[in-house]
Amino acid sequence: MQKISIDFSKTKGFIADGAVQQIEKEVLTAQQKLHDKSGAGNDFLGWLNLPSSITAEHLKEVKATAERLSKQSEVVVVVGIGGSYLGARAVIDALSNSFDFLQSERKAPVVVYAGQNIGEDYTAELLDLLSNKDFSVVVISKSGTTTEPAIAFRLLKELLEKKYPAAEVKDRIVAITDASKGALRTLADREGYQTYVIPDDVGGRYSVLTPVGLLPIAIAGLDIEQLVKGAVDMETATAPGVAYDQNPSTLYAAVRNLLYQKGKTTEILVNYHPKLHFLAEWWKQLYGESEGKENKGIFPAAVDFTTDLHSMGQWIQEGERNIFETVISVEGANRKLEVPSDKDDLDGLNYLAGKRIDEVNKMAELGTLVAHVDGGVPNIRISVPQLNEYYIGQLIFFFEKACGISGYVLGVNPFDQPGVEAYKKNMFALLGKPGFEKETEALRKRI
Ligand code: PA5
């Protein structure tokens, strides 16, 4: 199996020689805690062996649902936020044509997103677009009560009910939610929507390989079998029996914790392919929600290079030295495009004529790597042979596994997110939600 690989050589000099070996025991203990389910949050470990537990029948069923929705829809709206949104978008954006939404000859419907914000203009513009399109809705919420997707779903359901007869509306909605709890489950059962269950023991940010991610990804026309195969192979490559220094997840967990101990409190995930922007957004949620607690945790940030070299490059090169970079380096482009020659050469680019665009990108990457290391920014490099479902599947499971280990090494529960409730309580009080009356007055005085 060819697999993604990691190069830590550009962290040398930033952490002590031999430090990675010295914390081997600590990291393996953290990994063991995951596997024997003895650590904090051990009731949320359903993702740990999820890839290898996915059956061919399950994938077939998900694909059949995707096909049914695709046949009846020009557009499928995926409604969800956080862990119920980012994984699907990460994979779909990484592997779809960048101008997919403008393609006239399509094999799959256009996938658009709703309920990932409370933007009135965004939502109104989406409803305008959908009023002239055949569309279906995949509504995803584990709790079934999250405000953003609930508002969006109300509006979308109303539009469906205006456009289609009642019997058809129910066939245009698929709900992915808890097996028995929550408003979405109640509604889905009452209205007879097709449903998929988000397992109790899989938290939102670890749910991309459940129907939460798989159904939207299949609707976008991508190969979910290959995605899962990549994840299964990474499950094997990171299994407890694999040697510490051969296991990319244990090494990544070790090195980022060592850098953190050296004051590198921000990790920047870097990509050189704009399609990976949302993979970084998914990664930010995974690591941010898993580790940022008890006044601890690396701050996960992300940049798209070379675009952001023209905005954030200065800060990264010469700003406060509390950062390290983790670069996702894609070895080869899927398409071939060369810099053309020009007879006048006014822009002086003829020295590049005949070179692949990807080679220029790669030299930008390597030049930046050395410049940033010289500037005091340690660099971890993750090489991905190609952008396809198989390697994205590997990458997803690699990051998930490393995150669980890293959180335990840091000494936090990587599977809860108590902090995300604080803003909700205040928002409900300010909006006058029944039950929050006491907080409302006190809060208004503080604003
Ligand atoms: O990780 C989390 O818990 C959150 O980001 C959730 O994924 C997000 O709030 C969506 O929750 P739900 O699926 O319950 O609507």
Side-chain angles (χ1 to χ4, degrees):
M1 158 190 65
Q2 206 185 349
K3 63 177 198 301
I4 62 167
S5 58
I6 310 210
D7 179 359
F8 298 102
S9 60
K10 299 292 184 290
T11 60
K12 269 208 185 101
F14 296 100
I15 50 183
D17 284 349
V20 176
Q21 286 67 39
Q22 275 159 23
I23 65 161
E24 174 173 350
K25 201 163 163 238
E26 199 183 327
V27 175
L28 291 182
T29 305
Q31 177 174 244
Q32 195 50 42
K33 262 162 103 175
L34 281 179
H35 283 275
D36 63 21
K37 300 192 181 349
S38 61
N42 55 5
D43 43 351
F44 282 97
L45 290 172
W47 58 274
L48 191 57
N49 297 109
L50 179 65
S52 59
S53 71
I54 298 173
T55 62
E57 289 68 40
H58 178 64
L59 293 179
K60 206 167 145 200
E61 210 227 300
V62 170
K63 278 167 63 181
T65 305
E67 209 169 302
R68 178 177 72 74
L69 293 178
S70 301
K71 271 200 191 128
Q72 66 188 22
S73 322
E74 296 167 89
V75 178
V76 174
V77 189
V78 175
V79 181
I81 195 165
S84 292
Y85 152 70
L86 286 165
R89 185 152 194 188
V91 178
I92 292 170
D93 277 25
L95 301 176
S96 301
N97 185 304
S98 305
F99 302 97
D100 198 42
F101 60 99
L102 286 175
Q103 306 292 331
S104 44
E105 309 246 317
R106 314 186 46 83
K107 280 196 255 142
V110 177
V111 174
V112 297
Y113 304 91
Q116 83 281 30
N117 60 50
I118 331 178
E120 186 161 340
D121 290 351
Y122 179 95
T123 313
E125 285 160 13
L126 176 62
L127 293 173
D128 286 350
L129 170 93
L130 294 171
S131 61
N132 305 315
K133 305 271 182 213
D134 265 327
F135 75 99
S136 302
V137 174
V138 177
V139 53
I140 309 172
S141 177
K142 187 169 192 226
S143 62
T145 55
T146 306
T147 309
E148 292 90 337
I151 292 174
F153 183 58
R154 237 187 215 215
L155 288 160
L156 289 162
K157 184 167 164 283
E158 191 180 69
L159 182 59
L160 282 172
E161 282 163 355
K162 269 193 207 140
K163 280 181 67 126
Y164 302 102
E168 202 178 323
V169 169
K170 91 167 179 44
D171 291 336
R172 288 185 175 270
I173 297 173
V174 175
I176 307 180
T177 189
D178 188 86
S180 56
K181 300 186 295 289
L184 183 57
R185 167 54 60 191
T186 309
L187 181 71
D189 289 348
R190 196 183 72 195
E191 304 282 319
Y193 305 152
Q194 183 179 0
T195 62
Y196 285 93
V197 169
I198 310 176
D200 274 351
D201 58 357
V202 179
R205 57 189 177 272
Y206 288 87
S207 67
V208 54
L209 297 171
T210 72
V212 170
L214 295 179
L215 180 60
I217 293 166
I219 290 169
L222 300 171
D223 186 339
I224 53 174
E225 271 126 3
Q226 279 302 307
L227 185 81
V228 170
K229 185 172 184 324
V232 171
D233 285 350
M234 188 49 70
E235 188 185 323
T236 308
T238 58
V242 176
Y244 172 69
D245 60 355
Q246 299 298 310
N247 179 337
S249 292
T250 48
L251 286 177
Y252 179 52
V255 173
R256 62 196 297 286
N257 271 285
L258 288 167
L259 289 167
Y260 181 58
Q261 288 159 19
K262 289 283 176 195
K264 305 294 181 190
T265 53
T266 296
E267 177 176 9
I268 305 177
L269 192 74
V270 178
N271 72 73
Y272 284 80
H273 289 264
K275 288 172 181 229
L276 294 179
H277 177 84
F278 269 93
L279 191 86
E281 294 300 308
W282 168 82
W283 172 89
K284 275 158 62 179
Q285 186 199 3
L286 180 64
Y287 280 79
E289 272 189 356
S290 299
E291 295 191 323
K293 49 198 74 159
E294 299 173 30
N295 299 325
K296 294 194 265 195
I298 296 170
F299 181 79
V303 288
D304 302 325
F305 283 170
T306 62
T307 309
D308 291 336
L309 281 171
H310 297 258
S311 59
M312 296 301 292
Q314 171 62 35
W315 200 103
I316 296 172
Q317 188 68 44
E318 296 183 346
E320 195 175 346
R321 301 298 72 188
N322 62 346
I323 55 173
F324 67 99
E325 289 179 317
T326 296
V327 178
I328 300 182
S329 174
V330 181
E331 280 162 27
N334 286 330
R335 300 287 300 270
K336 191 169 177 207
L337 195 60
E338 290 171 357
V339 179
S341 169
D342 183 88
K343 73 175 170 32
D344 297 327
D345 194 28
L346 288 178
D347 52 13
L349 277 188
N350 271 358
Y351 80 103
L352 294 177
K355 281 201 197 306
R356 297 271 303 267
I357 302 287
D358 197 49
E359 189 183 338
V360 180
N361 201 21
K362 206 48 100 243
M363 293 312 118
E365 180 186 326
L366 296 176
T368 305
L369 166 77
V370 176
H372 287 182
V373 171
D374 287 349
V377 181
N379 216 288
I380 298 171
R381 189 154 180 250
I382 301 173
S383 294
V384 179
Q386 203 191 339
L387 276 190
N388 63 24
E389 287 86 341
Y390 177 70
Y391 291 117
I392 294 288
Q394 285 197 13
L395 210 48
I396 285 171
F397 193 80
F398 153 73
F399 276 133
E400 288 181 351
K401 182 77 186 279
C403 186
I405 299 171
S406 185
Y408 280 156
V409 172
L410 182 68
V412 297
N413 174 356
F415 307 112
D416 66 357
Q417 55 285 327
V420 301
E421 295 311 314
Y423 95 90
K424 290 185 193 165
K425 197 164 65 70
N426 291 349
M427 176 179 77
F428 292 149
L430 291 170
L431 287 169
K433 185 172 178 172
F436 288 81
E437 293 80 0
K438 267 199 203 136
E439 287 92 342
T440 309
E441 208 181 319
L443 204 56
R444 288 220 170 109
K445 281 193 196 133
R446 294 181 54 202
I447 290 172

